[in-house]
Amino acid sequence: MIYVRLGWSGVKVSRLCLGTWHLPPSRQVDEFGVLKVDEEEALKAMRRAYDLGVNFIDTANRYHGIMQPVDLNHVGNSERVVGKFLATVDRESIVLATKVRGQMAAWPNGEGLSRKHIMWQARESLRRLGTDHIDLYQLHWPDPDTPKLETLRALQDLVRMGLVNYTGISNHPAHDVVEFLELADRVGADRFVTMQELYNILERGIERDGRLEVAKRYGLAVMVYSPLAQGVLTGKYYDFKENRWAVPELSRASITDEIRKRYFSDRTAAVLRAMKEVADSKGITMAQLALAWVIKRSEQLGVTLIPITSATKASHIDEAVEALSVSLKDDDMKAIDEALQGKG
C-alpha cells in the first residue's frame, strides 16, 4: 500500500479511501420495504481492505448504504455498520472520516451547521460508530442560514475537546472554502485539511470552478467521491457487443433511477468504449483504469487526490488496490479526453 499525507497535516492515509455510501445489498427488505445492507459481506470487504493496508474509511451520518435518497427512518445505518468493523480492529490503526449537515430529524434544528446541530450530531456519530473520537469531521454541504464563524467555532471546540482530530469541507464552492480558511486564520482556529468533491472521467467541474486551485494553494488534500461514477465507469452497465445499456439485478442502477438518468447517454457510451480499448491494451479492468486516471490527474495537477471507492464484494477491494500499480501514459489520457469531447 502507498500512503500519503492528509493535506497539510502529518497524518498518513492510504492512497485509496474505503467509502460507505454504497454497501453490499442483500435480498431482504426491512419493515419499510427498503433493501437491507448485507452486513456480513460489508464487513468482509472492510476487513479485506484493512488487510491490504487501507487505513482510511469515509462515511456520513446521512448514509444508509443502499437507499438513495435516504429518509429519516434509515439515516445513520452506514455509520453503525462501520462501527461494527471498528470493534474488530485497533481503533488507532484507522483514520476515520464522517460528515455533518444533512437532515437527521424532522424538527427545526434537525439539520444544518449550527453549533446545536453539530454538537448533537458529533455525539450521535460517535455513538453509532462506537468510538470516542472522529479523525476527520467534514461539513457535508453548505448551510446558508448559519454564519461561518459559528460553524468554525463549533468545529474548533470539538477539536479542543478531543472528539475530533481534523476538519474538512465538502461540496462547497471555492469562495466559501477560502472564506472558511481565512476566517480560521483570523480567529486562531485550525484550517481544514481536506476537501471532498465529485470527480471522475465524466464529471470534472472542479477543474474549472477554482476548487482545485484552492486545494493546491492551501495544501488541502482532495478526497474524490464517485471516481467510478457510481459504477458506470466499470462498464458493468454497458453491453459492448450489442452497444446498448443493460442493468444487472441488484446493481446500484437497478435501485437508483438517478444513475440511469444522469449517465446513460451516447456521450458516456463513447467514453466507455474508449476506456475499454485502453484497459484491454493494458490488461486491466475499466474500474482500475478509472481509479488510475484519478491518480494520474493527481500527478499532473500537483494536488493530492485520494479516490474514495466502495465495494459490494471483497474481491472489488483487490481490484481497486491493484489499480495503484497501473501506470498511464499521456496518450492513454488523451484517448479518453478525445472520446469525452466527441473526437473519438
Side-chain angles (χ1 to χ4, degrees), residues 298-309:
S298 182
E299 297 171 4
Q300 293 175 332
L301 295 165
V303 177
T304 299
L305 303 177
I306 303 172
I308 304 171
T309 183

Side-chain angles (χ1 to χ4, degrees), residues 120-132:
W120 170 49
Q121 275 306 299
R123 293 191 300 269
E124 289 295 290
S125 285
L126 290 170
R127 178 183 60 80
R128 287 186 291 262
L129 290 161
T131 186
D132 62 0

Side-chain angles (χ1 to χ4, degrees), residues 150-324:
E150 177 181 354
T151 298
L152 194 63
R153 282 179 168 160
L155 293 176
Q156 191 62 28
D157 284 347
L158 289 172
V159 172
R160 289 178 179 140
M161 294 163 66
L163 301 180
V164 168
N165 287 330
Y166 302 97
T167 59
I169 192 166
S170 177
N171 297 315
H172 282 66
H175 65 85
D176 264 5
V177 180
V178 171
E179 287 176 16
F180 267 117
L181 294 169
E182 293 184 350
L183 182 61
D185 288 346
R186 288 200 299 272
V187 301
D190 293 343
R191 285 182 175 181
F192 300 133
V193 297
T194 58
M195 297 162 57
Q196 185 170 149
E197 308 295 342
L198 172 66
Y199 188 55
N200 57 55
I201 288 171
L202 296 171
E203 296 165 300
R204 299 163 66 168
I206 64 171
E207 293 181 352
R208 300 184 294 272
D209 63 15
R211 280 177 285 177
L212 283 177
E213 288 84 351
V214 170
K216 187 172 184 178
R217 185 193 320 159
Y218 290 93
L220 279 62
V222 179
M223 298 167 65
V224 172
Y225 71 83
S226 290
L228 304 182
Q230 300 194 59
V232 172
L233 294 179
T234 68
K236 69 180 181 180
Y237 296 126
Y238 196 73
D239 184 329
F240 290 94
K241 292 182 179 179
E242 299 292 333
N243 285 322
R244 62 180 179 83
W245 295 99
V247 180
E249 184 184 10
L250 282 183
S251 65
R252 200 181 314 190
S254 72
I255 300 167
T256 307
D257 290 340
E258 191 267 343
I259 293 175
R260 299 193 295 275
K261 294 175 182 176
R262 184 170 186 164
Y263 296 113
F264 288 17
S265 67
D266 292 343
R267 173 177 176 267
T268 301
V271 173
L272 292 178
R273 289 191 291 269
M275 287 180 63
K276 189 175 189 306
E277 188 172 332
V278 173
D280 288 349
S281 72
K282 293 183 171 296
I284 61 176
T285 67
M286 291 175 63
Q288 289 170 332
L289 175 59
L291 293 172
W293 182 90
V294 174
I295 303 298
K296 181 68 173 179
R297 289 300 287 153
S298 182
E299 297 171 4
Q300 293 175 332
L301 295 165
V303 177
T304 299
L305 303 177
I306 303 172
I308 304 171
T309 183
S310 58
T312 54
K313 297 178 182 177
S315 60
H316 293 166
I317 299 296
D318 294 75
E319 182 182 9
V321 170
E322 288 169 6
L324 297 178

